[in-house]
Amino acid sequence: MLLKNAFIYTDGSFNSSDLLIINEKQWIVGKNLSSIESKQVIDLTGKYIIPGLVDVHVHLREPGFDYKETILTGSKSAAKGGFTSICAMPNVIPAPDNINSIKMVQDIINKDACINVYQYGCITENRQGKKTTEFSMLKDYVTSFSDDGNPVSSDLVMKEAINKASFNDVLIAAHCEDFSYDDPRMSEYMNIKRDIELIKDMNITCRYHVCHVSSKKSIELIREAKKQGISITCETAPHYLIFTNEDVISENFKMNPPLGDKEDKQALLQAICDGTIDMIATDHAPHTHEDKLSGAMGVIGLETAFSSMYTYLVETGLINLERLVELMAINPATTYRIPGYSDFTVLDTDADYIVKADTFLSKGRNTPFEGMRMKGRIIKTICKGKIVWEFTQ
Ligand code: DOR
Ligand code: ZN
Ligand code: ZN
């Protein structure tokens, strides 16, 4: 496939070039490329080509909750959103805490996923926070370890998990929530603080990542830890960067952790600019309308993530497109060691559209972005050298 005349992201900046995709792992960027072998030549004048987007925090719900989402619908939704790699959280049934249940998920991925789907293994058996899983046995089958949805409350168990993560050189993605605090900001802050102190006390290097950071106090803590040289990374989600608790008008604005106030949002935006936040992840959490009405927490985000961030971060002048590419493709891929394939996303940054949940490929309709005007559209998603999604009028 030969893509001509686009602005192509290479080594941190955009240059007008051509992209020749040779196979699933090899490609060439250069001026005036021509290819006799290439059957497909596409002119992309005025469009941008960026590395395929990576979302390290997605709930695909299969197995166990396929009425909410499946690996098939979730991966299609991701492809439409410009993602070529996603990491699937382990709050499914059976829990991916042993080789058998992990292989079972992998079989569905091999059969149904239209993009690269990497799965998380559980930190503890059945995500109950009591007994850590066999990291050394599971590590070759999973991208990282998380108990997302649940924190690891016990200090002792978390210490063991940090030890195992360090020894096996794997990443822990922590859902930080300390149940002894009612205030969600304190709850998040105290759990992150506990983990940082454990890592300091143990005096070891561990790939420790904080999921969905939502508040000012947590950001200050992480910024300080980074200054002290602790190996810590973190993500936030688009909804925390766009909304505050004053915007909550329906159940589609309810997630865990909840939306913060203006100061929290401001601190998160600042942290996006100064590098304290390493990446943006959606925490795509599909639920049925009935489940939302009965209190299920979470919002979907795969199909709106790029446009929402382009509109609210780049169009507003807060960051440039290069930094957004770092936040949504480069940094998550580096931190999670996502394998490098011929994965690209093609953008039309001039296009705008109105979000309509009934056009989503996800089974979920629980979006807080319904009816909002967004700038920046994904026009092609290319995974392992093949077009897996394409915008048609
Ligand atoms: O809002 C949330 N939804 N927070 C979580 O931690 C879990 C997630 C889900 O699985 O729905
Ligand atoms: Zn979580
Ligand atoms: Zn989650």
Side-chain angles (χ1 to χ4, degrees):
M1 187 182 343
L2 179 61
L3 306 174
K4 293 204 59 86
N5 308 317
F7 298 109
I8 306 179
Y9 181 96
T10 24
D11 299 328
S13 61
F14 285 97
N15 292 295
S16 177
S17 315
D18 301 336
L19 169 67
L20 175 66
I21 298 175
I22 301 165
N23 58 36
E24 67 167 38
K25 276 195 165 156
Q26 292 173 293
W27 66 90
I28 301 168
V29 174
K31 301 262 183 215
N32 305 318
L33 293 182
S34 67
S35 167
I36 316 146
E37 305 101 85
S38 200
K39 281 169 251 148
Q40 223 177 347
V41 181
I42 304 169
D43 180 62
L44 291 173
T45 304
K47 308 294 190 286
Y48 287 77
I49 300 178
I50 62 173
L53 300 178
V54 178
D55 189 346
V56 302
H57 194 141
V58 171
H59 296 271
L60 295 179
R61 308 298 191 206
E62 193 182 6
F65 305 92
D66 56 1
Y67 65 99
K68 293 180 196 259
E69 192 80 289
T70 62
I71 286 167
L72 180 75
T73 58
S75 68
K76 280 186 178 171
S77 171
K80 185 176 171 192
F83 294 95
T84 52
S85 294
I86 55 177
C87 302
M89 280 298 178
N91 54 343
V92 290
I93 297 174
D97 58 5
N98 64 77
I99 295 278
N100 282 343
S101 54
I102 287 172
K103 282 190 174 158
M104 187 176 145
V105 183
Q106 192 58 49
D107 285 344
I108 312 174
I109 292 172
N110 296 344
K111 181 167 68 72
D112 286 349
C114 64
I115 57 162
N116 312 311
V117 175
Y118 302 97
Q119 57 169 322
Y120 279 95
C122 302
I123 299 173
T124 65
E125 286 179 9
N126 213 17
R127 298 171 41 255
Q128 284 179 336
K130 301 232 157 55
K131 190 172 181 300
T132 54
T133 57
E134 296 286 348
F135 283 27
S136 56
M137 242 153 65
L138 307 184
K139 68 176 174 188
D140 292 340
Y141 301 90
V142 298
T143 174
S144 297
F145 290 80
S146 184
D147 272 358
D148 190 49
N150 296 338
V152 178
S153 298
S154 151
D155 298 359
L156 261 177
V157 176
M158 190 60 183
K159 226 170 142 165
E160 199 170 277
I162 291 169
N163 240 326
K164 285 188 175 182
S166 173
F167 181 77
N168 291 290
D169 188 25
V170 296
L171 182 142
I172 289 184
H175 167 110
C176 291
E177 186 173 9
D178 183 332
F179 292 129
S180 39
Y181 296 83
D182 287 334
D183 175 359
R185 289 172 210 146
M186 273 309 280
S187 177
E188 181 179 80
Y189 171 85
M190 290 306 286
N191 198 166
I192 302 173
K193 186 160 177 278
R194 190 274 314 254
D195 288 351
I196 292 172
E197 275 164 12
L198 285 181
I199 294 168
K200 274 195 204 164
D201 287 349
M202 292 163 76
N203 198 21
I204 54 174
T205 309
C206 161
R207 295 168 61 204
Y208 174 76
H209 176 81
V210 186
C211 295
H212 43 56
V213 177
S214 66
S215 71
K216 182 179 176 191
K217 277 175 73 74
S218 301
I219 284 296
E220 287 167 353
L221 193 59
I222 294 166
R223 185 180 286 123
E224 190 50 37
K226 284 187 167 189
K227 266 192 205 143
Q228 292 172 10
I230 291 162
S231 130
I232 177 171
T233 53
C234 72
E235 69 190 37
T236 193
H239 40 271
Y240 302 115
L241 296 168
I242 296 176
F243 303 115
T244 69
N245 47 21
E246 289 175 22
D247 298 311
V248 179
I249 49 163
S250 76
E251 63 285 350
N252 291 342
F253 291 74
K254 300 215 170 132
M255 72 292 291
N256 190 21
L259 295 169
D261 62 18
K262 275 187 200 134
E263 276 188 42
D264 293 316
K265 177 176 146 181
Q266 211 43 52
L268 292 168
L269 289 169
Q270 175 60 38
I272 283 284
C273 298
D274 72 17
T276 305
I277 291 175
D278 299 276
M279 65 194 81
I280 292 167
T282 61
D283 200 359
H284 178 83
H287 293 291
T288 61
H289 187 57
E290 293 69 37
D291 288 354
K292 284 302 289 177
L293 290 179
S294 36
M297 286 292 156
V299 298
I300 55 172
L302 286 169
E303 288 164 71
T304 47
F306 179 80
S307 309
S308 68
M309 293 293 83
Y310 187 81
T311 307
Y312 284 85
L313 302 182
V314 180
E315 276 279 295
T316 53
L318 206 65
I319 59 172
N320 57 20
L321 183 56
E322 289 85 339
R323 172 72 181 142
L324 188 59
V325 172
E326 276 173 23
L327 289 161
M328 295 187 73
I330 308 291
N331 294 352
T334 308
T335 304
Y336 275 68
R337 301 181 183 162
I338 301 290
Y341 288 108
S342 303
D343 293 346
F344 300 97
T345 300
V346 185
L347 313 170
D348 180 347
T349 54
D350 295 324
D352 62 357
Y353 70 101
I354 305 233
V355 176
K356 291 199 178 80
D358 60 11
T359 64
F360 286 165
L361 298 180
S362 169
K363 284 192 186 182
R365 294 290 177 265
N366 49 315
T367 174
F369 299 106
E370 179 68 22
M372 287 170 73
R373 181 173 288 278
M374 299 283 178
K375 190 97 188 272
R377 194 201 291 279
I378 308 297
I379 55 170
K380 284 184 207 315
T381 305
I382 299 166
C383 186
K384 291 185 171 169
K386 297 211 165 68
I387 296 176
V388 289
W389 192 82
E390 175 160 46
F391 174 72
T392 44
Q393 292 297 329

